[in-house]
Amino acid sequence: MDISIQRSEGPLTLILSGRMDGFGAQQVAEAIRNDLRESDREIIFDLGGVDYISSAGLRVFQEVYRKIHERKGTVSLCQVGEFTQKVLKMGGFLQAFQIYPTLHEALTHSSTRPAGNAETNGIFTATHLTTGPVHLKVRGNISRVAAGEVMVQDFMKIPYEKGRYSVGIGAIGTDGSTISDLAGEMMDLSGSVIWVPADGNKTPDFITSDIIEAGDLIQSGLFQVSYDGSMHAVLTIENLIKPVSLQTLYEEIFRFAEKTWPSWGGICFVTFQAGIEGVCSSDITSSLVRAAEKKQSEGTRPEEHKSLYYIPRKDNLLDTVSVDVLDPQYRGETLLGCGYIVDIPKSREKFPEDLLKRITLLPTPSHPSQLYAHLCGAVMHDIPWNPESDMEARITDGLLKGSLLAMHRLLGVTMIRRATIAIAPVTDIIPVQGS
């Protein structure tokens, strides 16, 4: 089976030639797995070169139809030969598919059109939702964590909150006193918790809300940021020919927030779904508290490491216990996540320095960045892109129906191809004592 794949005219198009028997069907199925993106709602098969199709081939079409139908999209066939058409008719497929005599006609009737070049300024389509105060709730202090000024006693029990969105550093287990060494990147998505134990295996653990509500597990942490309030706007970016970085998206969000909310204080909490071009990450892989104890006992700075993309602070313990992955990963998969971004100069106009130190690492001469971001993302497989769903539905349905591949703290050089981002402009920062 010869398979040619193209997108230059818009939708994903597979031009097939040969026998779609058992082996040929496997080849087609593999090609679809590799090239079908979470954003695809339309697919065209040019069957002009297919002279034989078996039940294995029908099963491939059945699975493609199921996926695209879930996305409320269409599957089109063109140049269908007499034998192939007879088999499809016997299988009841002709009523499900759009049939065209030529590839040109199939593309002409396509609802997918190639996009023009998107400019960095104005790449979003904005939908305004509501207004009202947004409280950023903070447990712990990220500046103290980074400085190594933490001990086992600083671990806090985090009470369960239904529907919570948060990012931070923590662990889950049956005994809070024995899991402090495992504290790693942690994220709440609508009450379900995804975290990566700091055991070096980089394998995420996914705890659904019903298990947590049962009360047998303890969620504890050194640091957590969540929000209380409503999302004020949803920004959508799609149909980009050239992917954009998260850093670019942060800057665009800041411009949008400053223009839309004149009294905005420089901080946004966001939830998002994004199509991945390449994830770059920085994740905790060894014990923070043990590294802090060592630093405190020796009175020395953590070992410094550097990369072309990120120069760590010499006094940042997080750099010692974390591993950066700068080779882009997970192309074609989907991110579901949340977190907060801070325009530091703008936030300093509104919030006291002691509150900002709880949630950011403020600039220094050796690390002068004026933007701070703490975003985590769950890498999910086989999630449809449904622009008609609200963000809450996208995340809850995605967690329920998709397969979790990984969870990471995202670096700004992460590249995405499309995204829907819900934004809550923060009005105040509220320190919360752990239980």
Side-chain angles (χ1 to χ4, degrees), residues 41-103:
R41 301 179 67 196
E42 186 174 9
I43 184 169
I44 296 174
F45 291 93
D46 185 336
L47 304 181
V50 175
D51 54 14
Y52 175 83
I53 183 170
S54 69
S55 58
L58 292 181
R59 284 194 294 273
V60 172
F61 285 124
Q62 184 179 35
E63 178 62 16
V64 169
Y65 175 77
R66 181 191 66 80
K67 287 187 176 182
I68 299 299
H69 183 68
E70 286 180 353
R71 306 178 186 191
K72 300 181 180 180
T74 59
V75 178
S76 300
L77 310 179
C78 66
Q79 300 197 93
V80 183
E82 183 178 351
F83 175 79
T84 303
Q85 185 167 347
K86 184 182 296 184
V87 175
L88 290 170
K89 184 176 181 180
M90 291 173 60
F93 287 92
L94 291 184
Q95 295 85 354
F97 299 148
Q98 302 293 321
I99 310 295
Y100 298 98
T102 66
L103 178 57

Short mmCIF file of all heavy atoms in Angstrom, two decimals, residues 41-103:
data_model
loop_
_atom_site.label_atom_id
_atom_site.label_comp_id
_atom_site.label_asym_id
_atom_site.label_seq_id
_atom_site.Cartn_x
_atom_site.Cartn_y
_atom_site.Cartn_z
N ARG A 41 -11.15 17.96 12.06
CA ARG A 41 -12.57 17.61 12.05
C ARG A 41 -13.01 17.15 10.66
O ARG A 41 -14.20 17.00 10.40
CB ARG A 41 -13.40 18.80 12.51
CG ARG A 41 -13.05 19.29 13.92
CD ARG A 41 -13.88 20.48 14.32
NE ARG A 41 -15.28 20.12 14.48
CZ ARG A 41 -16.27 21.01 14.52
NH1 ARG A 41 -16.00 22.30 14.38
NH2 ARG A 41 -17.51 20.61 14.69
N GLU A 42 -12.03 16.98 9.79
CA GLU A 42 -12.34 16.57 8.43
C GLU A 42 -11.16 15.77 7.89
O GLU A 42 -10.00 16.08 8.14
CB GLU A 42 -12.59 17.80 7.57
CG GLU A 42 -13.06 17.50 6.17
CD GLU A 42 -13.43 18.77 5.42
OE1 GLU A 42 -13.16 19.87 5.94
OE2 GLU A 42 -13.97 18.65 4.30
N ILE A 43 -11.47 14.70 7.12
CA ILE A 43 -10.43 13.89 6.52
C ILE A 43 -10.94 13.41 5.16
O ILE A 43 -12.12 13.08 5.00
CB ILE A 43 -10.03 12.71 7.43
CG1 ILE A 43 -8.86 11.93 6.83
CG2 ILE A 43 -11.21 11.80 7.72
CD1 ILE A 43 -8.26 10.92 7.80
N ILE A 44 -10.05 13.41 4.16
CA ILE A 44 -10.40 12.99 2.81
C ILE A 44 -9.53 11.80 2.43
O ILE A 44 -8.31 11.81 2.62
CB ILE A 44 -10.18 14.13 1.80
CG1 ILE A 44 -11.12 15.31 2.10
CG2 ILE A 44 -10.42 13.64 0.37
CD1 ILE A 44 -10.86 16.53 1.23
N PHE A 45 -10.17 10.76 1.88
CA PHE A 45 -9.45 9.61 1.34
C PHE A 45 -9.62 9.60 -0.19
O PHE A 45 -10.75 9.55 -0.69
CB PHE A 45 -10.00 8.29 1.90
CG PHE A 45 -9.72 8.09 3.35
CD1 PHE A 45 -10.64 8.48 4.32
CD2 PHE A 45 -8.54 7.48 3.78
CE1 PHE A 45 -10.40 8.29 5.66
CE2 PHE A 45 -8.28 7.28 5.13
CZ PHE A 45 -9.21 7.69 6.07
N ASP A 46 -8.51 9.66 -0.91
CA ASP A 46 -8.52 9.50 -2.37
C ASP A 46 -8.25 8.02 -2.64
O ASP A 46 -7.13 7.53 -2.43
CB ASP A 46 -7.44 10.38 -2.99
CG ASP A 46 -7.47 10.35 -4.51
OD1 ASP A 46 -7.97 9.35 -5.07
OD2 ASP A 46 -6.98 11.31 -5.13
N LEU A 47 -9.28 7.30 -3.10
CA LEU A 47 -9.18 5.85 -3.28
C LEU A 47 -9.01 5.47 -4.75
O LEU A 47 -9.25 4.31 -5.13
CB LEU A 47 -10.44 5.18 -2.72
CG LEU A 47 -10.76 5.47 -1.25
CD1 LEU A 47 -12.02 4.72 -0.81
CD2 LEU A 47 -9.59 5.10 -0.35
N GLY A 48 -8.58 6.42 -5.57
CA GLY A 48 -8.44 6.16 -6.99
C GLY A 48 -7.50 5.02 -7.31
O GLY A 48 -7.66 4.33 -8.33
N GLY A 49 -6.49 4.77 -6.47
CA GLY A 49 -5.53 3.71 -6.72
C GLY A 49 -5.80 2.43 -5.96
O GLY A 49 -4.97 1.51 -5.99
N VAL A 50 -6.93 2.36 -5.23
CA VAL A 50 -7.24 1.18 -4.44
C VAL A 50 -8.06 0.20 -5.28
O VAL A 50 -9.18 0.52 -5.71
CB VAL A 50 -8.02 1.56 -3.15
CG1 VAL A 50 -8.45 0.32 -2.39
CG2 VAL A 50 -7.16 2.47 -2.28
N ASP A 51 -7.50 -0.99 -5.51
CA ASP A 51 -8.21 -1.97 -6.34
C ASP A 51 -8.79 -3.13 -5.53
O ASP A 51 -9.45 -4.01 -6.09
CB ASP A 51 -7.28 -2.53 -7.43
CG ASP A 51 -5.98 -3.09 -6.85
OD1 ASP A 51 -5.91 -3.29 -5.62
OD2 ASP A 51 -5.03 -3.30 -7.62
N TYR A 52 -8.53 -3.14 -4.20
CA TYR A 52 -9.07 -4.22 -3.37
C TYR A 52 -9.21 -3.69 -1.94
O TYR A 52 -8.35 -2.97 -1.44
CB TYR A 52 -8.14 -5.43 -3.39
CG TYR A 52 -8.57 -6.55 -2.45
CD1 TYR A 52 -9.53 -7.46 -2.84
CD2 TYR A 52 -8.02 -6.66 -1.18
CE1 TYR A 52 -9.95 -8.48 -1.98
CE2 TYR A 52 -8.41 -7.67 -0.31
CZ TYR A 52 -9.38 -8.58 -0.72
OH TYR A 52 -9.78 -9.57 0.14
N ILE A 53 -10.31 -4.08 -1.27
CA ILE A 53 -10.51 -3.72 0.13
C ILE A 53 -11.19 -4.88 0.83
O ILE A 53 -12.13 -5.48 0.31
CB ILE A 53 -11.34 -2.42 0.28
CG1 ILE A 53 -11.47 -2.03 1.75
CG2 ILE A 53 -12.70 -2.53 -0.38
CD1 ILE A 53 -12.06 -0.65 1.98
N SER A 54 -10.69 -5.23 2.01
CA SER A 54 -11.24 -6.33 2.80
C SER A 54 -11.95 -5.78 4.03
O SER A 54 -12.03 -4.57 4.24
CB SER A 54 -10.11 -7.28 3.21
OG SER A 54 -9.26 -6.64 4.16
N SER A 55 -12.41 -6.69 4.87
CA SER A 55 -13.08 -6.27 6.11
C SER A 55 -12.12 -5.52 7.02
O SER A 55 -12.54 -4.67 7.81
CB SER A 55 -13.66 -7.49 6.84
OG SER A 55 -12.64 -8.43 7.13
N ALA A 56 -10.81 -5.81 6.92
CA ALA A 56 -9.82 -5.06 7.71
C ALA A 56 -9.81 -3.60 7.30
O ALA A 56 -9.70 -2.69 8.14
CB ALA A 56 -8.44 -5.67 7.55
N GLY A 57 -9.94 -3.35 6.00
CA GLY A 57 -10.02 -1.98 5.52
C GLY A 57 -11.27 -1.28 5.98
O GLY A 57 -11.25 -0.09 6.35
N LEU A 58 -12.38 -2.02 6.00
CA LEU A 58 -13.64 -1.44 6.49
C LEU A 58 -13.52 -1.03 7.95
O LEU A 58 -14.08 -0.01 8.37
CB LEU A 58 -14.79 -2.43 6.31
CG LEU A 58 -15.21 -2.75 4.87
CD1 LEU A 58 -16.37 -3.72 4.87
CD2 LEU A 58 -15.58 -1.48 4.11
N ARG A 59 -12.81 -1.84 8.73
CA ARG A 59 -12.65 -1.50 10.16
C ARG A 59 -11.88 -0.20 10.33
O ARG A 59 -12.14 0.58 11.26
CB ARG A 59 -11.97 -2.65 10.90
CG ARG A 59 -12.89 -3.83 11.18
CD ARG A 59 -12.28 -4.78 12.20
NE ARG A 59 -11.08 -5.44 11.70
CZ ARG A 59 -11.09 -6.57 11.02
NH1 ARG A 59 -12.25 -7.17 10.74
NH2 ARG A 59 -9.95 -7.12 10.63
N VAL A 60 -10.91 0.05 9.45
CA VAL A 60 -10.17 1.32 9.51
C VAL A 60 -11.12 2.49 9.26
O VAL A 60 -11.12 3.48 10.01
CB VAL A 60 -9.02 1.33 8.48
CG1 VAL A 60 -8.38 2.73 8.42
CG2 VAL A 60 -7.97 0.30 8.84
N PHE A 61 -11.95 2.37 8.24
CA PHE A 61 -12.90 3.44 7.94
C PHE A 61 -13.91 3.61 9.09
O PHE A 61 -14.32 4.72 9.41
CB PHE A 61 -13.64 3.16 6.64
CG PHE A 61 -12.80 3.39 5.41
CD1 PHE A 61 -12.61 2.38 4.48
CD2 PHE A 61 -12.19 4.61 5.20
CE1 PHE A 61 -11.84 2.60 3.34
CE2 PHE A 61 -11.42 4.84 4.07
CZ PHE A 61 -11.24 3.83 3.14
N GLN A 62 -14.29 2.50 9.70
CA GLN A 62 -15.24 2.57 10.82
C GLN A 62 -14.65 3.34 11.99
O GLN A 62 -15.32 4.18 12.61
CB GLN A 62 -15.63 1.16 11.25
CG GLN A 62 -16.68 1.11 12.35
CD GLN A 62 -17.03 -0.32 12.71
OE1 GLN A 62 -16.19 -1.22 12.70
NE2 GLN A 62 -18.30 -0.57 13.03
N GLU A 63 -13.37 3.08 12.29
CA GLU A 63 -12.73 3.76 13.40
C GLU A 63 -12.52 5.25 13.09
O GLU A 63 -12.72 6.11 13.96
CB GLU A 63 -11.38 3.10 13.72
CG GLU A 63 -10.59 3.76 14.84
CD GLU A 63 -11.30 3.72 16.19
OE1 GLU A 63 -12.26 2.95 16.35
OE2 GLU A 63 -10.89 4.50 17.08
N VAL A 64 -12.15 5.56 11.84
CA VAL A 64 -11.99 6.96 11.46
C VAL A 64 -13.33 7.68 11.56
O VAL A 64 -13.40 8.81 12.08
CB VAL A 64 -11.44 7.06 10.02
CG1 VAL A 64 -11.53 8.50 9.52
CG2 VAL A 64 -10.00 6.60 9.97
N TYR A 65 -14.38 7.05 11.08
CA TYR A 65 -15.71 7.68 11.17
C TYR A 65 -16.09 7.94 12.62
O TYR A 65 -16.63 9.01 12.94
CB TYR A 65 -16.75 6.78 10.51
CG TYR A 65 -18.17 7.32 10.66
CD1 TYR A 65 -18.62 8.38 9.88
CD2 TYR A 65 -19.03 6.79 11.62
CE1 TYR A 65 -19.89 8.90 10.03
CE2 TYR A 65 -20.31 7.30 11.79
CZ TYR A 65 -20.73 8.35 10.99
OH TYR A 65 -22.00 8.86 11.16
N ARG A 66 -15.81 6.99 13.51
CA ARG A 66 -16.15 7.18 14.93
C ARG A 66 -15.44 8.40 15.50
O ARG A 66 -16.07 9.24 16.17
CB ARG A 66 -15.77 5.93 15.73
CG ARG A 66 -16.12 6.03 17.22
CD ARG A 66 -15.48 4.92 18.01
NE ARG A 66 -14.02 5.01 18.03
CZ ARG A 66 -13.34 5.84 18.83
NH1 ARG A 66 -13.98 6.66 19.65
NH2 ARG A 66 -12.02 5.87 18.80
N LYS A 67 -14.15 8.53 15.24
CA LYS A 67 -13.38 9.64 15.78
C LYS A 67 -13.86 10.98 15.23
O LYS A 67 -14.04 11.95 15.97
CB LYS A 67 -11.89 9.46 15.49
CG LYS A 67 -11.21 8.39 16.31
CD LYS A 67 -9.71 8.40 16.07
CE LYS A 67 -9.02 7.38 16.97
NZ LYS A 67 -7.55 7.40 16.79
N ILE A 68 -14.04 11.04 13.91
CA ILE A 68 -14.43 12.31 13.31
C ILE A 68 -15.87 12.66 13.66
O ILE A 68 -16.21 13.84 13.86
CB ILE A 68 -14.24 12.25 11.78
CG1 ILE A 68 -12.76 12.00 11.45
CG2 ILE A 68 -14.71 13.54 11.12
CD1 ILE A 68 -11.81 13.06 11.94
N HIS A 69 -16.73 11.66 13.77
CA HIS A 69 -18.13 11.91 14.15
C HIS A 69 -18.21 12.50 15.56
O HIS A 69 -19.04 13.38 15.83
CB HIS A 69 -18.93 10.61 14.07
CG HIS A 69 -20.40 10.78 14.39
ND1 HIS A 69 -21.26 11.48 13.56
CD2 HIS A 69 -21.14 10.37 15.45
CE1 HIS A 69 -22.47 11.48 14.09
NE2 HIS A 69 -22.42 10.81 15.23
N GLU A 70 -17.36 12.03 16.48
CA GLU A 70 -17.30 12.58 17.84
C GLU A 70 -16.94 14.06 17.81
O GLU A 70 -17.35 14.82 18.69
CB GLU A 70 -16.28 11.81 18.69
CG GLU A 70 -16.74 10.43 19.11
CD GLU A 70 -15.69 9.72 19.95
OE1 GLU A 70 -14.56 10.26 20.07
OE2 GLU A 70 -15.99 8.64 20.48
N ARG A 71 -16.19 14.45 16.81
CA ARG A 71 -15.77 15.85 16.67
C ARG A 71 -16.76 16.66 15.82
O ARG A 71 -16.50 17.80 15.49
CB ARG A 71 -14.37 15.91 16.03
CG ARG A 71 -13.33 15.08 16.76
CD ARG A 71 -11.98 15.12 16.06
NE ARG A 71 -11.04 14.21 16.71
CZ ARG A 71 -9.74 14.16 16.47
NH1 ARG A 71 -9.22 14.99 15.58
NH2 ARG A 71 -8.96 13.31 17.10
N LYS A 72 -17.87 16.02 15.47
CA LYS A 72 -18.90 16.64 14.64
C LYS A 72 -18.32 17.08 13.30
O LYS A 72 -18.64 18.14 12.77
CB LYS A 72 -19.55 17.81 15.38
CG LYS A 72 -20.21 17.41 16.69
CD LYS A 72 -20.86 18.60 17.39
CE LYS A 72 -21.52 18.16 18.69
NZ LYS A 72 -22.16 19.28 19.41
N GLY A 73 -17.46 16.21 12.75
CA GLY A 73 -16.83 16.50 11.48
C GLY A 73 -17.31 15.57 10.37
O GLY A 73 -18.32 14.87 10.52
N THR A 74 -16.58 15.53 9.25
CA THR A 74 -16.98 14.74 8.10
C THR A 74 -15.80 13.94 7.55
O THR A 74 -14.64 14.37 7.64
CB THR A 74 -17.52 15.63 6.96
OG1 THR A 74 -16.51 16.57 6.58
CG2 THR A 74 -18.76 16.38 7.41
N VAL A 75 -16.13 12.77 7.00
CA VAL A 75 -15.16 11.94 6.28
C VAL A 75 -15.60 11.90 4.82
O VAL A 75 -16.75 11.58 4.52
CB VAL A 75 -15.10 10.51 6.85
CG1 VAL A 75 -14.11 9.66 6.06
CG2 VAL A 75 -14.72 10.54 8.33
N SER A 76 -14.69 12.22 3.91
CA SER A 76 -15.01 12.25 2.48
C SER A 76 -14.16 11.24 1.73
O SER A 76 -12.98 11.03 2.07
CB SER A 76 -14.77 13.65 1.91
OG SER A 76 -15.58 14.62 2.55
N LEU A 77 -14.77 10.61 0.72
CA LEU A 77 -14.07 9.68 -0.17
C LEU A 77 -14.18 10.22 -1.59
O LEU A 77 -15.20 10.80 -1.97
CB LEU A 77 -14.69 8.29 -0.11
CG LEU A 77 -14.92 7.65 1.27
CD1 LEU A 77 -15.56 6.28 1.11
CD2 LEU A 77 -13.62 7.55 2.05
N CYS A 78 -13.14 10.01 -2.37
CA CYS A 78 -13.20 10.41 -3.78
C CYS A 78 -12.54 9.36 -4.66
O CYS A 78 -11.72 8.56 -4.18
CB CYS A 78 -12.55 11.78 -3.98
SG CYS A 78 -10.78 11.84 -3.67
N GLN A 79 -12.91 9.37 -5.92
CA GLN A 79 -12.39 8.43 -6.91
C GLN A 79 -12.53 6.99 -6.44
O GLN A 79 -11.58 6.20 -6.49
CB GLN A 79 -10.92 8.74 -7.25
CG GLN A 79 -10.71 10.14 -7.82
CD GLN A 79 -9.37 10.27 -8.52
OE1 GLN A 79 -9.27 10.06 -9.72
NE2 GLN A 79 -8.35 10.62 -7.75
N VAL A 80 -13.74 6.66 -5.96
CA VAL A 80 -14.00 5.32 -5.43
C VAL A 80 -14.27 4.36 -6.59
O VAL A 80 -15.21 4.55 -7.37
CB VAL A 80 -15.20 5.34 -4.47
CG1 VAL A 80 -15.42 3.97 -3.87
CG2 VAL A 80 -14.99 6.39 -3.38
N GLY A 81 -13.45 3.31 -6.72
CA GLY A 81 -13.60 2.34 -7.79
C GLY A 81 -14.84 1.47 -7.60
O GLY A 81 -15.45 1.43 -6.52
N GLU A 82 -15.20 0.73 -8.67
CA GLU A 82 -16.44 -0.06 -8.66
C GLU A 82 -16.41 -1.13 -7.56
O GLU A 82 -17.38 -1.28 -6.81
CB GLU A 82 -16.64 -0.72 -10.03
CG GLU A 82 -17.93 -1.51 -10.13
CD GLU A 82 -18.12 -2.10 -11.52
OE1 GLU A 82 -17.34 -1.75 -12.44
OE2 GLU A 82 -19.05 -2.92 -11.68
N PHE A 83 -15.31 -1.89 -7.45
CA PHE A 83 -15.25 -2.94 -6.43
C PHE A 83 -15.27 -2.34 -5.03
O PHE A 83 -15.99 -2.81 -4.14
CB PHE A 83 -13.98 -3.79 -6.62
CG PHE A 83 -13.80 -4.81 -5.54
CD1 PHE A 83 -14.52 -6.00 -5.54
CD2 PHE A 83 -12.91 -4.59 -4.48
CE1 PHE A 83 -14.35 -6.94 -4.52
CE2 PHE A 83 -12.73 -5.51 -3.47
CZ PHE A 83 -13.46 -6.70 -3.49
N THR A 84 -14.47 -1.29 -4.82
CA THR A 84 -14.42 -0.65 -3.50
C THR A 84 -15.79 -0.10 -3.12
O THR A 84 -16.23 -0.23 -1.96
CB THR A 84 -13.37 0.47 -3.50
OG1 THR A 84 -12.11 -0.06 -3.88
CG2 THR A 84 -13.27 1.11 -2.12
N GLN A 85 -16.47 0.51 -4.08
CA GLN A 85 -17.79 1.07 -3.79
C GLN A 85 -18.78 -0.03 -3.41
O GLN A 85 -19.60 0.14 -2.51
CB GLN A 85 -18.31 1.86 -4.99
CG GLN A 85 -19.64 2.57 -4.72
CD GLN A 85 -19.97 3.57 -5.81
OE1 GLN A 85 -19.13 3.92 -6.62
NE2 GLN A 85 -21.18 4.06 -5.81
N LYS A 86 -18.69 -1.17 -4.08
CA LYS A 86 -19.59 -2.28 -3.77
C LYS A 86 -19.37 -2.79 -2.35
O LYS A 86 -20.32 -3.05 -1.60
CB LYS A 86 -19.36 -3.41 -4.77
CG LYS A 86 -20.32 -4.59 -4.62
CD LYS A 86 -20.01 -5.69 -5.61
CE LYS A 86 -20.22 -5.22 -7.04
NZ LYS A 86 -20.01 -6.32 -8.01
N VAL A 87 -18.09 -2.92 -1.95
CA VAL A 87 -17.78 -3.39 -0.59
C VAL A 87 -18.25 -2.37 0.45
O VAL A 87 -18.82 -2.73 1.49
CB VAL A 87 -16.27 -3.66 -0.44
CG1 VAL A 87 -15.93 -4.01 1.01
CG2 VAL A 87 -15.83 -4.78 -1.38
N LEU A 88 -18.01 -1.08 0.18
CA LEU A 88 -18.45 -0.04 1.11
C LEU A 88 -19.97 -0.03 1.24
O LEU A 88 -20.51 0.17 2.33
CB LEU A 88 -17.95 1.32 0.64
CG LEU A 88 -16.44 1.57 0.75
CD1 LEU A 88 -16.07 2.85 0.03
CD2 LEU A 88 -16.01 1.63 2.21
N LYS A 89 -20.65 -0.26 0.14
CA LYS A 89 -22.11 -0.27 0.16
C LYS A 89 -22.62 -1.45 0.98
O LYS A 89 -23.54 -1.32 1.79
CB LYS A 89 -22.66 -0.34 -1.26
CG LYS A 89 -24.18 -0.27 -1.32
CD LYS A 89 -24.66 -0.25 -2.77
CE LYS A 89 -26.19 -0.15 -2.83
NZ LYS A 89 -26.67 -0.13 -4.24
N MET A 90 -22.00 -2.61 0.80
CA MET A 90 -22.40 -3.80 1.56
C MET A 90 -22.17 -3.59 3.05
O MET A 90 -22.92 -4.10 3.88
CB MET A 90 -21.62 -5.01 1.07
CG MET A 90 -21.99 -5.48 -0.32
SD MET A 90 -20.90 -6.80 -0.93
CE MET A 90 -21.17 -8.05 0.34
N GLY A 91 -21.15 -2.83 3.38
CA GLY A 91 -20.85 -2.56 4.79
C GLY A 91 -21.65 -1.41 5.36
O GLY A 91 -21.54 -1.11 6.56
N GLY A 92 -22.47 -0.76 4.54
CA GLY A 92 -23.31 0.33 5.02
C GLY A 92 -22.57 1.64 5.24
O GLY A 92 -23.03 2.50 5.99
N PHE A 93 -21.43 1.80 4.55
CA PHE A 93 -20.61 2.99 4.78
C PHE A 93 -20.95 4.16 3.86
O PHE A 93 -20.61 5.29 4.16
CB PHE A 93 -19.13 2.64 4.63
CG PHE A 93 -18.57 1.84 5.76
CD1 PHE A 93 -18.57 0.46 5.71
CD2 PHE A 93 -18.06 2.45 6.89
CE1 PHE A 93 -18.06 -0.29 6.74
CE2 PHE A 93 -17.55 1.73 7.94
CZ PHE A 93 -17.55 0.34 7.87
N LEU A 94 -21.57 3.89 2.72
CA LEU A 94 -21.77 4.97 1.76
C LEU A 94 -22.65 6.07 2.31
O LEU A 94 -22.49 7.25 1.97
CB LEU A 94 -22.38 4.41 0.47
CG LEU A 94 -21.45 3.51 -0.37
CD1 LEU A 94 -22.14 3.11 -1.66
CD2 LEU A 94 -20.13 4.20 -0.67
N GLN A 95 -23.61 5.72 3.19
CA GLN A 95 -24.48 6.74 3.77
C GLN A 95 -23.74 7.61 4.78
O GLN A 95 -24.14 8.75 5.05
CB GLN A 95 -25.69 6.08 4.47
CG GLN A 95 -26.63 5.33 3.53
CD GLN A 95 -26.17 3.91 3.26
OE1 GLN A 95 -25.08 3.52 3.67
NE2 GLN A 95 -27.00 3.15 2.56
N ALA A 96 -22.65 7.09 5.35
CA ALA A 96 -21.93 7.82 6.40
C ALA A 96 -20.92 8.81 5.82
O ALA A 96 -20.58 9.80 6.47
CB ALA A 96 -21.22 6.85 7.33
N PHE A 97 -20.43 8.53 4.61
CA PHE A 97 -19.36 9.34 4.05
C PHE A 97 -19.88 10.28 2.95
O PHE A 97 -20.90 10.01 2.32
CB PHE A 97 -18.27 8.45 3.44
CG PHE A 97 -17.61 7.53 4.43
CD1 PHE A 97 -17.14 6.29 4.03
CD2 PHE A 97 -17.46 7.89 5.75
CE1 PHE A 97 -16.53 5.44 4.94
CE2 PHE A 97 -16.86 7.06 6.67
CZ PHE A 97 -16.39 5.82 6.25
N GLN A 98 -19.13 11.36 2.73
CA GLN A 98 -19.36 12.22 1.58
C GLN A 98 -18.57 11.63 0.41
O GLN A 98 -17.37 11.36 0.54
CB GLN A 98 -18.91 13.65 1.87
CG GLN A 98 -19.58 14.30 3.08
CD GLN A 98 -21.05 14.55 2.85
OE1 GLN A 98 -21.46 14.93 1.75
NE2 GLN A 98 -21.86 14.31 3.88
N ILE A 99 -19.22 11.43 -0.74
CA ILE A 99 -18.58 10.81 -1.89
C ILE A 99 -18.44 11.84 -3.02
O ILE A 99 -19.42 12.51 -3.37
CB ILE A 99 -19.38 9.60 -2.41
CG1 ILE A 99 -19.71 8.65 -1.25
CG2 ILE A 99 -18.61 8.87 -3.50
CD1 ILE A 99 -18.49 8.01 -0.61
N TYR A 100 -17.22 11.96 -3.59
CA TYR A 100 -16.97 12.90 -4.68
C TYR A 100 -16.23 12.18 -5.81
O TYR A 100 -15.43 11.27 -5.57
CB TYR A 100 -16.13 14.08 -4.19
CG TYR A 100 -16.81 14.89 -3.12
CD1 TYR A 100 -16.50 14.69 -1.77
CD2 TYR A 100 -17.77 15.85 -3.44
CE1 TYR A 100 -17.13 15.42 -0.78
CE2 TYR A 100 -18.41 16.58 -2.45
CZ TYR A 100 -18.10 16.36 -1.12
OH TYR A 100 -18.72 17.09 -0.15
N PRO A 101 -16.48 12.59 -7.05
CA PRO A 101 -15.82 11.93 -8.18
C PRO A 101 -14.33 12.22 -8.27
O PRO A 101 -13.56 11.38 -8.75
CB PRO A 101 -16.56 12.50 -9.40
CG PRO A 101 -17.16 13.79 -8.94
CD PRO A 101 -17.47 13.60 -7.49
N THR A 102 -13.88 13.41 -7.81
CA THR A 102 -12.46 13.77 -7.92
C THR A 102 -11.98 14.39 -6.61
O THR A 102 -12.78 14.89 -5.79
CB THR A 102 -12.23 14.78 -9.05
OG1 THR A 102 -12.87 16.02 -8.71
CG2 THR A 102 -12.77 14.26 -10.37
N LEU A 103 -10.66 14.39 -6.43
CA LEU A 103 -10.07 15.04 -5.26
C LEU A 103 -10.32 16.54 -5.29
O LEU A 103 -10.58 17.16 -4.24
CB LEU A 103 -8.57 14.74 -5.20
CG LEU A 103 -7.79 15.39 -4.05
CD1 LEU A 103 -8.36 14.99 -2.70
CD2 LEU A 103 -6.31 15.03 -4.14
#
